[in-house]
Amino acid sequence: MPVKNRFAELQSEITAWRRDIHTHPELMFDTHRTSALVAEKLRAFGCDEVSEGIGRTGVVGVIKGRKNGSGKVIGLRADMDALPILEATGLDYASKTPGAMHACGHDGHTAMLLGAAKYLSETRNFDGTVVVIFQPAEEGGGGGKVMCDDGMMERWNIQEVYGMHNWPGMPVGSFAIREGGFFAATDEFTVTIEGLGGHAAKPHETIDPTVTASHVVLALQSIASRNVDPTEQVVVSVTSFRTESDAYNVIPQRVELRGTVRTLDRDVRLQAEERFKALVSNTAAAYGAKADIHFENNYPVMVNSPEQTGFAAQVARKVAGDCAEAPLVMGGEDFAYMLEERPGAYILVGNGDTAMVHHPEYNFNDEAIPAGCSWWAEIAEQRMPIG
């Protein structure tokens, strides 16, 4: 694999950074230790500017090339936060924070971007400016949006932005990408069905919210099967069904449903929300019950820009020899917010035959470090060639 020799030399050092971050996972915006470590290293590398507190606990570093005639500014982003999962890897560098672990590989993403930042600060073999972005709260907090709302793109005049995620099941250091909608919009809902509770032996004197809610669950499946074009992707999952009573002889007054709607197209997203609300309200009314609907638009569809996707794939082929067509992913990714602000692309790098992300036995594969670092460095050098 033609990775940059410098990253082979730095691999043990970058691995040590990664394992230190893994040992001390932090959740959401509470990435204070990780953010401080990142800022300290960026300053030690000789970055031209290091700013903390962007998007609450995000860190931004600026590296100027040997030339700046192009006027180009490219952003490279990694996420820093962990997940509220009890680690079960048994590693000697396993989490020391109870109930938190780096189960998605953000420790690896952060370490790889730090490695790329060190190399780019040493060589500066590009014509323009690189902005390295270390983001908190990808796992549900929308840290990408918070950083954008803080004016990050405008403050540093970022023109394009690139991100990366490790992917178990792909060969170590291989790459995959796709143009257009890539990761899904992740909307969430809470529905409270209110009927009239009573004795289970006298159902005729009640408006049974359990029966009503059951019909709502079934009706919602028609969004995918009968409302949305079969060639489009939509998932409607009711993941929680709670009643007010656990008694065997009580028909409860209320039932609460929770779940998620996933889509890969903005128009389908709007259609799914509209049909969701209509089906819930009308089904509840048909049984004499009432429905209180809370539908929250969470992460948007993550859309890779055509030109930047082609370029990112070209760089991946230079590093790894090939770049596969990535599958559609119904999981969410808040890099979507940055791609709404600026054109760019998001790529997958192989993690090998490991446990899947968000699993208590998952671990980032340190053998992927040279490829990941090389891709980020080549993005800068190839997009802003020195001439």
Side-chain angles (χ1 to χ4, degrees):
M1 181 184 293
V3 300
K4 290 184 177 294
N5 291 335
R6 182 63 175 135
F7 293 123
E9 297 169 1
L10 289 171
Q11 183 171 359
S12 60
E13 183 178 3
I14 298 170
T15 296
W17 302 340
R18 200 281 294 183
R19 295 184 178 187
D20 176 67
I21 295 169
H22 187 95
T23 303
H24 303 95
E26 296 173 300
L27 304 178
M28 297 288 280
F29 289 99
D30 292 328
T31 58
H32 303 289
R33 182 187 186 277
T34 308
S35 298
L37 181 150
V38 165
E40 177 187 356
K41 292 199 178 298
L42 293 178
R43 291 189 177 100
F45 300 159
C47 287
D48 297 281
E49 179 184 347
V50 178
S51 297
E52 300 177 69
I54 310 302
R56 294 170 59 178
T57 48
V59 181
V60 172
V62 177
I63 307 167
K64 296 179 180 178
R66 284 195 280 121
K67 293 184 179 180
N68 194 27
S70 72
K72 291 183 179 178
V73 183
I74 289 179
L76 308 177
R77 172 270 200 179
D79 35 19
M80 299 186 291
D81 58 320
L83 282 158
I85 294 175
L86 183 64
E87 183 162 351
T89 63
L91 295 165
D92 57 1
Y93 56 86
S95 169
K96 291 183 178 179
T97 305
M101 76 167 287
H102 273 288
C104 204
H106 296 185
D107 51 342
H109 304 165
T110 296
M112 287 191 294
L113 187 54
L114 281 173
K118 180 169 185 173
Y119 167 85
L120 291 169
S121 297
E122 291 172 350
T123 59
R124 300 181 184 262
N125 189 32
F126 53 92
D127 180 2
T129 301
V130 172
V131 178
V132 287
I133 303 163
F134 294 86
Q135 180 210 303
E138 192 283 323
E139 296 291 356
K145 183 177 189 303
V146 178
M147 292 189 84
C148 288
D149 289 347
D150 240 2
M152 176 182 70
M153 297 297 185
E154 295 78 15
R155 177 172 171 180
W156 285 284
N157 191 32
I158 298 169
Q159 297 158 10
E160 297 180 356
V161 64
Y162 295 86
M164 182 194 306
H165 203 295
N166 77 94
W167 208 250
M170 282 173 48
V172 179
S174 65
F175 292 93
I177 199 169
R178 70 181 300 120
E179 179 184 322
F182 188 0
F183 278 59
T186 59
D187 298 329
E188 298 175 350
F189 61 82
T190 301
V191 174
T192 302
I193 304 293
E194 182 162 4
L196 179 63
H199 200 291
K202 298 182 178 182
H204 59 291
E205 296 180 357
T206 72
I207 298 173
D208 192 338
T210 305
V211 171
T212 304
S214 299
H215 280 275
V216 167
V217 172
L218 294 175
L220 289 175
Q221 302 314 303
S222 68
I223 294 175
S225 66
R226 288 297 178 269
N227 297 143
V228 173
D229 186 328
T231 63
E232 300 285 355
Q233 288 77 29
V234 59
V235 174
V236 181
S237 292
V238 178
T239 57
S240 176
F241 193 117
R242 302 177 181 178
T243 69
E244 285 189 326
S245 171
D246 291 328
Y248 290 98
N249 60 349
V250 173
I251 292 174
Q253 182 81 6
R254 297 176 188 84
V255 169
E256 181 187 86
L257 305 176
R258 294 183 181 183
T260 184
V261 178
R262 306 291 176 104
T263 51
L264 277 163
D265 177 87
R266 294 183 180 94
D267 291 339
V268 173
R269 185 186 196 187
L270 293 171
Q271 181 188 12
E273 180 178 352
E274 177 185 334
R275 292 303 302 143
F276 178 95
K277 292 176 178 177
L279 284 165
V280 172
S281 296
N282 293 332
T283 302
Y287 287 87
K290 297 178 181 179
D292 178 68
I293 303 169
H294 177 71
F295 194 99
E296 181 179 356
N297 295 126
N298 205 333
Y299 296 175
V301 181
M302 192 188 74
V303 181
N304 271 349
S305 310
E307 178 188 343
Q308 287 73 22
T309 301
F311 169 69
Q314 174 186 324
V315 171
R317 285 190 287 271
K318 180 177 176 65
V319 172
D322 193 18
C323 185
E325 176 83 358
L328 293 168
V329 179
M330 297 310 288
E333 168 54 63
D334 88 339
F335 189 62
Y337 291 114
M338 296 190 188
L339 289 177
E340 286 190 330
E341 294 273 337
R342 296 293 187 269
Y346 193 74
I347 200 166
L348 306 180
V349 62
N351 203 58
D353 186 19
T354 65
M356 183 47 72
V357 294
H358 291 225
H359 190 281
E361 294 181 0
Y362 165 85
N363 186 35
F364 179 83
N365 192 333
D366 293 318
E367 294 304 310
I369 286 172
C373 291
S374 294
W375 182 80
W376 259 318
E378 289 283 359
I379 286 288
E381 293 180 348
Q382 297 296 319
R383 198 61 168 168
M384 302 182 292
I386 204 77

